[in-house]
Amino acid sequence: MSRPVTLSLERPNPFDPPGELARWREEGPIRPMLYADGHVGWLVTGYAAARAVLADPRFSTDLKVLHPPVGGRLTQAMFADVPGFFLHQDPPEHTRVRGLLTGQFTLRRAKEMEPRIAQIAEDLLDAMEKAGPPVDLVRAFALPLPSLVICELIGVPVEAQEDFQRQSEVMLDLASTPEMVRRAKDELMRSMLELVDGKRARPAQDLIGNLVATRQLTKEEIAGVAMLLVIAGHETTANMLALGTFALLRNPGQLAALREDPGRRAGAAVEELMRYLSIIHIGLLRSATEDVLVEGHMIRAGETVTVSVAAADRDPAQFPAPDAFDVTRPATGHLAFGHGVHQCIGQQLARAEMRAGYPALLRRFPGLRLAIEPEQVATRSDMAIYGVHRLPVAW
């Protein structure tokens, strides 16, 4: 057995995964890995092995049994004690909670929301144009677009969004201390509980209001569901919109191909950007509930597995010329939204936001360009969700 490796988050450039991942994947799709707390578990870098682990019900997402790959605090201070936080629940609890939400996040529902998403995008672009260059695309467009959409869907007041974004940033910052994370989590939970109380007193036709009306979840569970959806519903898409724009600006041929025919190419471009950029750069964590054989390696009960989405989505066995960025590629089958029962519930909404966001931005500002040198763009290697901290642009 090879010596345990240590996960690196340092990227050779803003768009490629750490270089070691490709080398390790070439040597084998799974290997021992040393975790931040001294635990020796596993790192999966191959596409087939990644799908196998993510689809296997013998692997748990319960934070109480997972070990942190980096930082030393991810599993302890985050969401292990939050009721209704179904991302880290196993069936049957996961099935019970998630099942109440699926109707809000279907492909049909996402299509119904497309006109409203497009209107929000246009309003934000109007404000950008009025302000004039340079602007930070993260704060002016990439962050508020999915934030406004998810908060409207859930039933969160607009004036509360800045507080929620600040609390999310603290919880996802790998440099945050456990106390900082707990404080931000507790503040967000209190706000969500107040929202649930408000919907109980004044019924509303939004997601929180609908969950209250079902009478199938406790107040705390509804607040936990809302917390998860607010964090996941804006952090991931916001970083994809900003980092994806950065990638397009650095690849003018691909930007031109998308701008030339956005109606036909926007869908494929979104899938390729998701595959190519893989913002879940720490990976997806699972813990074996019993001994499981994966690609010839016996993973023992209690051992944590880190599935590197960034490595799996660059596996040449699945994607020809995987390191090339090609918006015309039929990049179906990528793992950017996960796989199995925990596959992202909001993926259709996220796709709709990106299919609207990128073309609208490029159409409104045909001269869009970086307002600083590319090497000055600060990336989020220090965050649980990868992206850019700021993206100053002009036109």
Side-chain angles (χ1 to χ4, degrees), residues 282-300:
I282 291 177
L284 300 173
L285 302 186
R286 300 291 187 268
S287 178
T289 59
E290 59 183 86
D291 293 355
V292 184
L293 188 65
V294 179
E295 298 279 350
H297 296 274
M298 182 60 72
I299 300 175
R300 299 295 180 184

Side-chain angles (χ1 to χ4, degrees), residues 14-15 135-146 234-250 273-274 277 279 353-354 357-358 361-362 368 370 377-380 386-393:
F15 312 122
V135 300
D136 174 15
L137 191 74
V138 173
R139 294 293 168 183
F141 185 71
L143 184 57
L145 174 57
H234 80 268
E235 278 286 348
T236 49
T237 308
N239 282 292
M240 272 305 307
L241 283 168
L243 184 63
T245 301
F246 186 19
L248 287 165
L249 291 175
R250 297 298 294 152
L273 284 163
M274 293 292 298
L277 297 175
I279 60 172
E353 291 165 346
M354 287 185 279
Y358 291 124
L361 177 66
L362 298 179
L368 190 71
L370 291 176
V377 176
T379 60
R380 289 169 47 111
Y386 184 70
V388 295
H389 287 289
R390 296 174 63 252
L391 192 70
V393 296

Side-chain angles (χ1 to χ4, degrees), residues 109-128:
R109 180 70 175 118
K111 287 188 175 298
E112 291 172 352
M113 293 186 68
E114 284 179 354
R116 179 57 183 150
I117 294 169
Q119 184 58 59
I120 291 173
E122 292 300 328
D123 290 346
L124 292 169
L125 294 173
D126 286 346
M128 274 181 60

